[in-house]
């Protein structure tokens, strides 16, 4: 039985960097989820009878929303819904299932690295038939529709069983409940040399993987422990919990501090890694060697030919604008193109679809390749493991060798989280207004060479995206970037990205914050961050 319900619009359903993210109580408002899902469906054309993939990271409210999505997919005419058992699917696994099953699209329920629980965050994101996040044009269309919506359609049926694997028919629609891990693990086996990694592990190589009580737990247990033979317990915090055990499932040096401390201790295993809420981010730490995400992208691009799935090396590399230019040095050496996109994985989709790039990465701990259209945390871990198994060197040796070949991009991001939104917008607006005057001025002893507001023209579809972050470039190649996050749910988050290039014959072993101290001072001098935000220090330094 299909019911059409009347509704009225909400005015705040504008998708951000990665879908719609809000606090759980916002999503719990009557009709809030239904309105957004119907706005997605109303913005699509030609999906009748086709397949929709649905899954989430298991956070609080996941199961309830999945039931709504399934009932609305049925009412709106989808022919088949594929859902992960228990409603669980990592974001890269959704991307893979969409592609493998030639689905029309998919819906990912996650607020990624944001905290979960009844008062935590929730999110809904639409992925298109290429497996990737919907592009800006489509997310704008969803927002426009959400402002005018006046009805939604839903099947009036009882809740469906999400826990038993198998296929069933519900009022003419097929529902397939699938093992969340199986297809993804099989894909990984086609890309990496599992025999080599297994042999390396058998030879005594040890791993600690922190799943942060989020979605990658079952994936890591199956792949690292069952298939690659790592010891039981290699995957820590491996049971997904609706509130992530009360922690913040963000694999950075603040929220994955326990892993960091372990890796810096005398008992450190050879390799440490973590992933986030929905399994698309990664943190890589060797014994006594933290690998910054921008450096990880560069090192992976330089070494990926060692994995069977990438034996010809990358055809091109893409990175988001705030990501350091370490990968640019690799592209230069390989004689391939490097693309600089706005923040957001959705901007990599057209480049991957057009075959212009093989590997993409972001400073925000995301790396991935053309195997799916999302960043992929465990993929990055496995590529590192494959490289380590072949080179038989430590992470620290590989990174030192990398800097000695390409030079080092000292890099750090300073986040000011949950600051007053009006103050944050004013800071950015004022800075934007001064851009023309900055060039030639000195701050903390550094001369500004150029300042602009990043604008991107997609080389494949020629779409233009403006106001993607303020860049202040200094004489000598250092830079500061400032932008407001598009994923927060509380006030605003100011991100300050700081970078300095040190040539290969320079000082390659400095402490990062020390190496950047004059630029940090310059950022404060340029934007008066402390005065305007009321914060004397960033909340997170990554
Ligand atoms: C999302 C996007 C990423 C982006 C990150 C941070 O990641 O997919 O492309 O780099 O947010 O964005 P912002 O700086 O606007 O907060 P995730 O892992 O949260 O889906």
């Amino acid at each position: 039985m299909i019911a059409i319900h009347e509704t009225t619009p909400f005015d705040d359903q504008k998708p951000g960097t990665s879908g719609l993210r809000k606090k759980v109580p916002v999503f719990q408002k009557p009709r809030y989820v239904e309105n957004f899902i119907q706005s997605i469906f109303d913005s699509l054309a030609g999906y009748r009878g086709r397949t929709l993939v649905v899954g989430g990271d298991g956070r609080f409210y996941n199961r309830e929303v999945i039931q709504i999505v399934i009932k609305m997919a049925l009412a709106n005419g989808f022919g088949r819904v594929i859902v992960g058992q228990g409603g669980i699917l990592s974001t890269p696994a959704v991307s893979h299932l969409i592609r493998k099953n030639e689905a029309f699209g998919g819906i990912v329920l996650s607020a990624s690295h944001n905290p979960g629980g009844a008062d935590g965050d929730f999110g809904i994101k639409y992925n298109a038939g290429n497996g990737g996040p919907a592009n800006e044009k489509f997310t704008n269309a969803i927002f426009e529709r959400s402002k005018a919506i006046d009805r939604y359609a839903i099947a009036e049926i009882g809740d469906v069983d999400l826990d038993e694997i198998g296929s069933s028919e519900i009022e003419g629609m097929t529902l397939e409940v699938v093992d969340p891990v199986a297809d993804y693990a099989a894909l990984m086996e086609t890309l990496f040399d599992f025999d080599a990694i297994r042999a390396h592990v058998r030879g005594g190589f040890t791993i600690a993987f922190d799943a942060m009580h989020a979605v990658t737990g079952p994936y890591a247990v199956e792949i690292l422990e069952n298939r690659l033979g790592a010891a039981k317990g290699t995957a820590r915090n491996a049971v997904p919990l609706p509130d992530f055990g009360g922690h913040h499932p963000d694999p950075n040096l603040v929220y994955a501090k326990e892993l960091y401390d372990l890796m810096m201790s005398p008992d450190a295993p050879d390799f440490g890694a973590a992933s986030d809420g929905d399994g698309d981010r990664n943190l890589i730490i060797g014994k006594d060697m933290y690998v910054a995400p921008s450096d990880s992208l560069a090192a992976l691009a330089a070494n990926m030919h060692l994995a069977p799935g990438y034996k010809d090396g990358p055809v091109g590399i893409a990175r988001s604008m705030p990501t350091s230019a370490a990968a640019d040095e690799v592209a230069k050496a390989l004689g391939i193109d490097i693309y600089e996109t706005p923040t957001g994985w959705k901007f990599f989709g057209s480049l991957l679809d057009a075959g212009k790039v093989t590997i993409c990465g972001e400073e925000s701990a995301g790396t991935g390749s053309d195997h799916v259209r999302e960043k992929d945390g465990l993929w990055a871990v496995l590529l590192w493991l494959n490289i380590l198994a072949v080179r038989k060197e430590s992470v620290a040796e590989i990174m030192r060798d990398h800097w000695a070949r390409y030079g080092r991009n000292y890099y750090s991001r300073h986040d000011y989280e949950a600051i007053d939104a009006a103050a944050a917008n004013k800071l950015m607006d004022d800075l934007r207004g001064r851009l023309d005057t900055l060039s030639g001025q000195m701050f903390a002893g550094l001369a500004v060479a150029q300042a602009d507001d990043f604008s991107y023209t997609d080389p494949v579809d020629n779409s233009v995206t403006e106001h993607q972050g303020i860049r202040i470039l200094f004489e000598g190649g250092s830079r500061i970037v400032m932008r407001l996050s598009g994923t927060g749910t509380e006030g605003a988050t100011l991100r300050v990205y700081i970078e300095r290039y040190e040539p290969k014959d320079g000082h390659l072993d400095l402490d990062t914050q020390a190496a950047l101290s004059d630029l940090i001072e310059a950022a404060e001098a340029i934007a008066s961050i402390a005065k305007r935000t009321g914060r004397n220090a960033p909340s997170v330094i990554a």
Side-chain angles (χ1 to χ4, degrees):
M1 209 124 18
I2 303 233
I4 310 288
H5 292 281
E6 288 188 358
T7 187
T8 49
F10 293 90
D11 61 5
D12 63 347
Q13 298 199 324
K14 185 174 171 50
T17 308
S18 186
L20 185 68
R21 289 189 191 165
K22 302 275 174 199
K23 295 274 174 216
V24 167
V26 176
F27 276 103
Q28 286 172 324
K29 288 185 197 165
R31 304 176 288 99
Y32 195 87
V33 168
E34 289 84 346
N35 271 22
F36 190 66
I37 299 292
Q38 190 66 53
S39 300
I40 294 174
F41 293 163
D42 287 353
S43 308
L44 300 169
Y47 62 79
R48 290 197 79 80
R50 302 280 308 274
T51 300
L52 183 74
V53 177
V54 188
D57 62 10
R59 68 178 58 226
F60 188 89
Y61 214 40
N62 194 51
R63 277 180 172 262
E64 289 83 347
V65 175
I66 285 196
Q67 293 289 347
I68 296 171
V69 172
I70 293 171
K71 292 172 193 176
M72 290 187 66
L74 196 169
N76 280 276
F78 277 94
R80 178 167 71 140
V81 168
I82 298 175
V83 59
Q85 186 183 28
I88 297 275
L89 281 175
S90 75
T91 291
V94 171
S95 186
H96 177 51
L97 284 174
I98 293 172
R99 296 166 68 76
K100 179 167 182 267
N101 292 284
E102 294 179 6
F104 191 83
I107 289 183
V108 184
L109 304 176
S110 171
S112 187
H113 53 290
N114 295 7
D119 299 319
D121 291 355
F122 193 78
I124 303 180
K125 183 173 76 155
Y126 179 73
N127 279 29
N130 70 345
N135 61 23
E136 288 273 284
K137 195 168 153 222
F138 187 75
T139 54
N140 289 338
I142 299 173
F143 181 46
E144 288 310 313
R145 180 64 196 145
S146 77
K147 290 190 283 190
I149 193 157
D150 58 4
R151 41 114 215 114
Y152 67 88
I154 189 160
E156 306 262 283
I157 53 173
D159 281 357
V160 302
D161 181 359
L162 296 175
D163 296 312
E164 190 144 342
I165 290 180
S167 186
S168 58
E169 293 292 315
I170 311 171
E171 304 204 356
M173 186 187 82
T174 305
L175 178 72
E176 271 176 44
V177 179
V178 300
D179 177 335
V181 179
D183 285 320
Y184 177 83
L187 174 65
M188 294 300 115
E189 294 226 31
T190 67
L191 301 174
F192 302 115
D193 189 344
F194 271 45
D195 287 338
I197 303 173
R198 232 182 332 257
H200 202 40
V201 167
R202 218 178 299 123
F205 182 84
T206 50
I207 305 167
F209 178 84
D210 190 347
M212 307 188 89
H213 285 303
V215 79
T216 51
Y219 294 83
V221 169
E222 174 59 20
I223 295 173
L224 300 178
E225 297 182 9
N226 299 348
R227 299 196 187 197
L228 292 171
K232 294 280 164 236
T234 291
R236 296 151 182 244
N237 303 320
V239 177
L241 298 174
D243 67 347
F244 308 116
H247 299 296
H248 207 122
D250 191 348
N252 63 24
L253 299 184
V254 174
Y255 301 115
K257 186 160 187 316
E258 219 176 281
L259 179 75
Y260 178 80
D261 289 345
L262 171 70
M263 295 310 298
M264 298 300 135
S265 77
D267 313 323
D270 296 301
F271 183 75
S275 189
D276 69 332
D278 61 329
D280 56 2
R281 296 186 175 208
N282 71 84
L283 168 70
I284 304 293
I285 317 179
K287 226 181 222 178
D288 225 9
M289 173 61 75
Y290 161 66
V291 185
S294 299
D295 273 348
S296 181
L297 170 66
L300 291 178
N303 289 285
M304 67 193 302
H305 61 280
L306 301 175
Y310 305 99
K311 59 180 185 340
D312 298 328
V315 295
I317 308 173
R319 64 164 173 83
S320 65
M321 179 275 283
T323 303
S324 95
D328 302 32
E329 299 298 320
V330 176
K332 221 185 286 168
L334 293 175
I336 57 175
D337 288 331
I338 177 95
Y339 296 85
E340 189 178 34
T341 64
T343 294
W345 206 262
K346 58 190 166 193
F347 294 101
F348 294 139
S350 63
L351 299 170
L352 289 162
D353 286 348
K356 288 185 178 295
V357 298
T358 309
I359 183 168
C360 310
E362 295 186 278
E363 50 67 37
S364 55
T367 333
S369 87
D370 55 2
H371 69 293
V372 289
R373 293 294 181 274
E374 288 279 4
K375 55 190 186 274
D376 188 344
L378 267 168
W379 172 89
V381 169
L382 290 169
L383 181 50
W384 262 105
L385 289 176
N386 195 146
I387 292 164
L388 291 163
V390 174
R391 287 187 54 166
K392 300 198 168 57
E393 290 165 271
S394 69
V395 173
E397 283 164 342
I398 288 180
M399 285 320 301
R400 292 213 167 88
D401 173 61
H402 187 92
W403 296 327
R405 279 168 199 265
Y406 302 100
R408 179 168 180 185
N409 294 70
Y410 285 101
Y411 184 85
S412 183
R413 188 179 91 190
H414 290 198
D415 289 340
Y416 298 79
E417 294 179 330
I419 56 176
D420 179 64
N425 283 316
K426 180 135 185 14
L427 183 153
M428 291 300 287
D429 288 345
D430 288 355
L431 201 49
R432 213 169 270 127
R434 285 164 52 213
L435 283 177
D436 290 345
T437 66
L438 288 179
S439 156
Q441 287 196 50
M442 299 286 291
F443 297 94
L446 298 164
V448 176
Q450 194 193 322
D452 65 11
D453 190 356
F454 182 61
S455 158
Y456 177 65
T457 304
D458 185 303
V460 181
D461 64 19
N462 293 318
S463 58
V464 176
T465 311
E466 293 180 305
H467 305 304
Q468 293 302 303
I470 289 175
R471 301 191 290 190
I472 300 159
L473 312 174
F474 296 90
E475 304 286 353
S478 298
R479 67 171 190 167
I480 295 171
V481 173
M482 291 191 206
R483 61 178 280 280
L484 298 182
S485 158
T487 58
T489 58
E490 221 180 309
T493 293
L494 171 69
R495 301 205 196 280
V496 184
Y497 311 81
I498 307 143
E499 175 176 2
R500 173 161 91 81
Y501 179 67
E502 183 78 16
K504 59 186 177 189
D505 51 3
H507 301 286
L508 299 175
D509 241 337
L510 301 176
D511 170 73
T512 298
Q513 299 304 316
L516 298 174
S517 59
D518 52 350
L519 285 154
I520 294 168
E521 215 181 295
E524 180 59 40
I526 292 170
S528 310
I529 300 169
K531 196 169 105 214
R532 284 164 172 274
T533 65
R535 302 278 176 84
N536 286 324
S539 13
V540 174
I541 295 182

